Amino acid sequence: MYSNLAISVNSLTKIYPLYNSPKDRLKEALHPMRKKYHDDFYALRDVTFEVEKGDSLGIVGQNGSGKSTLLKILSRVLTPSSGSFQVSGRVISLLELGSGFNPELTGLENIYFYGTILGFTKKMIDERLDEIIAFADIGRFIGQSLKTYSSGMRSRLAFSVASHVDPDILILDEVLAVGDLRFKQKCYRVMSDIIEKRKTVILVSHDTIAITNFCNKTLWLNEGKIQEYGSSSEIIKKYVGFMTYGLETQEGAENDREDTVSQSGKSSENNSNESSVPLEQSNIKWTGVSQLESFGEHGAIIKEVALYFKDTDKNVDVVKGGEWLSFFAKIIINSNISLPGFGLKLKDKRGNGVFTVNNYLYKRALPELKANQEIIVKTDFRFPLLVEGKYSLTIAISDGDQENHTQHHWIHDAIFINVQNEEPKFKRTGNIIVLEENDYNIELITV
Amino acid sequence: MSYLKNFYYFNKVIYQQRYIIRKLVARDFQKKYLSTYLGMVWAFINPLVYILTIWFVVSIGLRSGEGLGYAFLPWLVSAMIPWFFIRDGLSNAAGSLVDYSFLIKKMYFRVGIIPLIKLFTVLIIHLFMLVVLIIIVVLYGFYPTIYWIQIPYYLLCALVLLIGMGWLTSALMVFVRDIKQTIEVFNTLFFWLTPIIWPHEGLTGPKRLLVDLNPFFYITNGYRETFIHGKWFFEQVNLTIYFWCVAIFFFVVGAIVFQKLKPHYADVL
């Protein structure tokens, strides 16, 4: 095994025999001809992947897709039916809330109890005890028996112990879901520290935002098989599309898109003189989006898009913030759409949503659209004050209303917008929005 | 050689995990007795009432027990108390994996220890009962002799036999819950088949063979010979060799079966 691999999994398969009744299990065990009385259920089917040291791996998938089974195998709780896996170093796993805890013992005793199960001596736990208690931060409950704990307190204590015993690979199965926001933030900080030490964290969560923010790689399991494995931002996009609308995301041609962005960048430089000439429809410089990642029923197809400063012929690539922009989309209508909806979603580079505008949410009805025509939709909006960085617009056309609609075409990251602003308040990384001058006041009140 | 290595490794693990074992044994006690008013006292009331009942039936109801040449009560107690150890050890160890499924299903734990935890709990109760036994025999005039030093030897015999049987039965019980009932039946059967409340002296031929083939007899009789008759275990070479063959057989078979079935515990529990 190469020294920079933390986990290598090789065609791992886990089969559960399903019996119609307990009698069948006995019949099969005693049958002289070894007749089969069960159906095989593949909880995992031929799963192969590798994780490098210092990676953080997110695992997503629907309920019953094999996430927990995979984690249990990696934690050596379950034995695979076939295939093999190797892990380098000490694996610490929190598979379920409060697993390994003893409800009769106090919190303090449980730290020792759990720590010993994880393979630590009493002395080693003594050394870390203060840190563990401080991190869990459950006050005087530490001396109470675990029965009296809330589920949040249990997960605090469990995470605190598990993260303070120097895991080489830390496996977390939805255990942070019950923690409050402050504790979650604390957990992510600790996990980042662990990753910085070139250790590995595996996180199963239905919180896709947490996975995009925290994990650099994501494994998407579907019905026991690997659906996709790769960088988190890509996989989560596809997964969210799949989960929301049950549609397969079409692969986008990554290289083309980068070209598009740089081209539009150039054109904006060319047009960066101050003269503002009103834009003629025939002069719009369109950017094709058919190669991008998308999904939908294709009752309407967004062909091309363009982004201009409002009422000018200036193409947008770089914005300062606060400008009015006009977004144009050329759409081919393939089938009648009685309640058309068109929307934009601005996302930051990590995939966090910044805002969403669409005519459903803002109650701006669009007329019914007949099939077999080409239309252009123009959306004007004021670009908010945002911290410097790269943002993307995701666009969609649908039919229905906000709660219940058919998604005809949804395009991920149709266009990129760079925010550049010299003012220092736009350079606070980690934030998203910047308050406007009028939205902030400070004064000294002398007593 | 690899068996020896495994055996050494297993002992090391037991030593390393002594904190957990201690806590789990304590948990076992708590679960059993802590929620009752009399607590630990119940651990003694039950067997003592059992002993007194049998003493009453045999010496007052049936008016027998006089032909032994010894007082009946100390004679009875000296074999009954090791029998309780065997009985409780067998039934508790068998259910151990099912009882401790939380350690198997949700985390990586040295499963082999689990039957031992139950046996340690039973052993602690037995040690207290041993004190009761000593008080009774001393009250009847059987004062400490040099023979008493072989008690640890018989304890070891019982433990080795019970560990092997515990591994075997607990592993099977994960798959076949009927083992629990089966063991209860066997316990009743062996209580009467083993010469505990009746003397084995004077039996000959196949009847005597039936008694000698029973490995539990070696232990219950060993206690009795220690406290009452005053005999060394090495005075009966054949029985000793036979017992150790049986005990090691169960130990090895138990270990192998337990190890073989280990990958399936988390699936089935």
Side-chain angles (χ1 to χ4, degrees):
Chain A
M1 192 167 174
Y2 303 112
S3 58
N4 62 336
L5 280 185
I7 299 171
S8 102
V9 172
N10 194 8
S11 59
L12 209 60
T13 300
K14 178 74 187 173
I15 304 171
Y16 286 107
L18 292 183
Y19 295 92
N20 287 329
S21 74
K23 236 195 287 175
D24 282 353
R25 185 186 284 269
L26 196 64
K27 268 200 273 183
E28 184 177 289
L30 300 176
H31 200 280
M33 310 300 287
R34 296 193 169 273
K35 188 180 171 207
K36 281 203 171 180
Y37 281 91
H38 68 260
D39 296 325
D40 284 340
F41 172 73
Y42 282 80
L44 286 178
R45 196 192 285 258
D46 204 18
V47 170
T48 304
F49 65 94
E50 284 173 349
V51 183
E52 284 175 18
K53 284 179 183 165
D55 271 348
S56 54
L57 174 72
I59 302 181
V60 294
Q62 289 162 280
N63 296 130
S65 57
K67 302 185 297 283
S68 294
T69 306
L70 177 60
L71 292 194
K72 279 187 177 174
I73 289 175
L74 292 179
S75 320
R76 295 198 286 172
V77 172
L78 292 181
T79 317
S81 308
S82 67
S84 63
F85 70 98
Q86 280 176 299
V87 288
S88 70
R90 181 202 298 275
V91 180
I92 302 286
S93 46
L94 287 179
L95 291 180
E96 250 165 86
L97 190 60
S99 59
F101 277 153
N102 191 334
E104 311 291 330
L105 301 181
T106 67
L108 195 65
E109 286 173 309
N110 262 308
I111 293 177
Y112 284 100
F113 184 77
Y114 189 48
T116 327
I117 288 180
L118 297 178
F120 274 72
T121 62
K122 193 169 177 298
K123 208 180 124 219
M124 290 155 94
I125 301 167
D126 282 336
E127 287 164 11
R128 294 167 170 83
L129 189 64
D130 291 338
E131 250 181 285
I132 293 172
I133 293 175
F135 187 87
D137 191 23
I138 47 175
R140 57 205 176 88
F141 272 90
I142 198 77
Q144 297 289 313
S145 82
L146 213 76
K147 284 186 285 193
T148 63
Y149 281 35
S150 71
S151 54
M153 287 198 235
R154 278 176 200 221
S155 80
R156 272 162 177 258
L157 193 63
F159 183 84
S160 187
V161 179
S163 61
H164 283 85
V165 291
D166 300 333
D168 291 313
I169 297 170
L170 180 64
I171 296 180
L172 302 167
D173 188 357
E174 277 291 0
V175 277
L176 299 182
V178 292
D180 59 28
L181 200 60
R182 189 189 299 260
F183 186 71
K184 270 190 203 171
Q185 299 279 3
K186 219 156 87 168
C187 292
Y188 283 120
R189 277 204 297 280
V190 170
M191 293 193 298
S192 302
D193 290 348
I194 293 173
I195 291 167
E196 249 163 53
K197 289 186 218 151
R198 291 198 45 76
K199 306 290 172 70
T200 306
V201 173
I202 301 182
L203 187 66
V204 162
S205 182
H206 292 289
D207 181 356
T208 48
I209 307 272
I211 287 188
T212 15
N213 281 344
F214 182 74
C215 303
N216 59 337
K217 289 222 175 138
T218 294
L219 180 74
W220 173 10
L221 287 178
N222 191 22
E223 291 172 358
K225 283 179 283 193
I226 294 184
Q227 181 91 5
E228 298 269 354
Y229 179 47
S231 86
S232 290
S233 49
E234 294 300 310
I235 306 297
I236 292 295
K237 247 184 270 168
K238 294 177 184 175
Y239 175 67
V240 169
F242 179 82
M243 287 307 281
T244 319
Y245 298 102
L247 298 170
E248 298 271 349
T249 302
Q250 284 162 8
E251 285 287 338
E254 192 71 28
N255 297 335
D256 291 1
R257 187 158 37 144
E258 289 299 324
D259 290 349
T260 327
V261 170
S262 53
Q263 269 167 20
S264 58
K266 270 176 214 153
S267 58
S268 94
E269 275 167 37
N270 296 341
N271 293 320
S272 63
N273 50 27
E274 283 300 306
S275 71
S276 56
V277 182
L279 183 70
E280 297 290 327
Q281 193 192 307
S282 54
N283 292 339
I284 296 176
K285 288 199 185 93
W286 293 102
T287 305
V289 291
S290 54
Q291 293 297 306
L292 302 183
E293 279 180 34
S294 67
F295 63 87
E297 304 285 349
H298 291 185
I301 290 176
I302 304 171
K303 274 292 185 206
E304 297 174 316
V305 297
L307 184 64
Y308 281 85
F309 288 104
K310 195 187 172 210
D311 301 330
T312 70
D313 62 350
K314 279 203 295 173
N315 213 317
V316 172
D317 181 40
V318 176
V319 297
K320 283 183 154 176
E323 301 98 328
W324 274 89
L325 307 180
S326 294
F327 180 82
F328 299 91
K330 193 186 279 180
I331 302 169
I332 294 168
I333 310 296
N334 292 328
S335 57
N336 289 345
I337 298 178
S338 51
L339 292 165
F342 184 81
L344 306 176
K345 179 178 185 176
L346 188 75
K347 291 192 285 186
D348 73 1
K349 61 174 182 286
R350 290 188 199 147
N352 293 321
V354 178
F355 69 77
T356 299
V357 283
N358 66 47
N359 55 302
Y360 298 149
L361 285 170
Y362 289 81
K363 299 195 175 62
R364 315 280 165 85
L366 290 175
E368 190 181 338
L369 298 173
K370 289 270 177 272
N372 305 318
Q373 56 166 327
E374 192 180 276
I375 58 159
I376 292 175
V377 179
K378 177 176 178 243
T379 306
D380 293 336
F381 64 95
R382 190 162 162 252
F383 197 84
L385 300 189
L386 299 177
V387 170
E388 279 196 342
K390 201 173 186 182
Y391 293 82
S392 70
L393 272 179
T394 293
I395 58 178
I397 179 157
S398 57
D399 185 10
D401 55 41
Q402 183 62 33
E403 276 69 44
N404 191 2
H405 53 256
T406 310
Q407 204 59 256
H408 282 299
H409 201 188
W410 169 297
I411 300 180
H412 288 291
D413 308 325
I415 214 159
F416 285 89
I417 303 168
N418 280 310
V419 174
Q420 281 175 19
N421 199 313
E422 292 311 308
E423 287 187 61
K425 61 176 182 260
F426 286 83
K427 296 186 184 291
R428 307 297 306 170
T429 48
N431 295 338
I432 296 179
I433 70 160
V434 177
L435 284 188
E436 302 207 21
E437 285 301 327
N438 294 338
D439 291 343
Y440 171 71
N441 188 35
I442 186 166
E443 58 188 300
L444 190 66
I445 298 174
T446 331
V447 186
Chain B
M1 199 55 212
S2 78
Y3 278 111
L4 270 178
K5 222 174 182 174
N6 272 346
F7 185 69
Y8 164 77
Y9 186 63
F10 186 74
N11 283 311
K12 207 174 111 189
V13 166
I14 291 179
Y15 180 75
Q16 278 169 348
Q17 310 239 349
R18 61 195 183 283
Y19 180 81
I20 296 188
I21 293 173
R22 206 159 62 220
K23 282 293 171 192
L24 285 174
V25 168
R27 178 181 178 272
D28 231 23
F29 270 102
Q30 276 174 341
K31 232 174 97 184
K32 259 194 194 132
Y33 305 112
L34 207 68
S35 49
T36 57
Y37 285 109
L38 290 179
M40 277 281 295
V41 178
W42 282 114
F44 305 102
I45 290 182
N46 212 339
L48 287 179
V49 168
Y50 206 117
I51 288 169
L52 287 176
T53 313
I54 285 174
W55 173 71
F56 180 85
V57 169
V58 172
S59 50
I60 294 170
L62 298 172
R63 282 172 286 278
S64 57
E66 273 128 39
L68 291 167
Y70 308 99
F72 182 66
L73 189 63
W75 180 87
L76 174 70
V77 167
S78 61
M80 272 295 261
I81 282 176
W83 168 254
F84 286 136
F85 179 42
I86 293 165
R87 180 195 70 181
D88 294 345
L90 282 177
S91 61
N92 281 317
S96 58
L97 291 185
V98 176
D99 278 6
Y100 282 103
S101 58
F102 74 96
L103 285 175
I104 302 169
K105 274 161 71 178
K106 293 173 191 167
M107 56 198 317
Y108 177 65
F109 186 76
R110 299 222 173 264
V111 198
I113 299 177
I114 293 175
L116 300 195
I117 289 163
K118 293 278 185 180
L119 285 181
F120 283 140
T121 311
V122 176
L123 177 65
I124 288 170
I125 294 175
H126 178 63
L127 291 179
F128 281 108
M129 292 300 290
L130 208 54
V131 175
V132 175
L133 166 61
I134 286 170
I135 290 170
I136 292 175
V137 293
V138 167
L139 282 178
Y140 275 84
F142 297 92
Y143 296 111
T145 61
I146 184 74
Y147 297 104
W148 286 27
I149 61 165
Q150 54 181 347
I151 285 305
Y153 165 76
Y154 282 114
L155 266 179
L156 180 75
C157 292
L159 268 179
V160 171
L161 185 64
L162 287 177
I163 289 173
M165 289 181 160
W167 277 334
L168 185 67
T169 52
S170 63
L172 292 177
M173 192 163 141
V174 172
F175 303 90
V176 189
R177 299 289 163 110
D178 307 52
I179 296 277
K180 176 119 197 129
Q181 305 305 325
T182 315
I183 284 178
E184 299 304 322
V185 171
F186 267 89
N187 275 342
T188 314
L189 197 67
F190 273 88
F191 172 68
W192 297 102
L193 281 184
T194 312
I196 296 168
I197 67 163
W198 46 274
H200 69 279
E201 285 90 351
L203 283 182
T204 51
K207 289 178 197 162
R208 173 71 203 211
L209 189 67
L210 189 72
V211 168
D212 284 345
L213 286 179
N214 176 353
F216 305 131
F217 167 69
Y218 183 74
I219 296 162
T220 56
N221 196 49
Y223 271 67
R224 187 172 275 161
E225 303 213 312
T226 301
F227 287 108
I228 310 294
H229 302 291
K231 273 189 188 164
W232 292 108
F233 69 87
F234 44 76
E235 285 178 43
Q236 31 188 355
V237 183
N238 291 343
L239 264 188
T240 301
I241 292 171
Y242 169 74
F243 172 82
W244 279 106
C245 288
V246 172
I248 288 167
F249 169 80
F250 273 107
F251 195 87
V252 171
V253 168
I256 291 171
V257 169
F258 194 88
Q259 201 67 24
K260 273 253 152 63
L261 294 177
K262 199 153 86 177
H264 302 285
Y265 297 152
D267 289 350
V268 179
L269 279 169

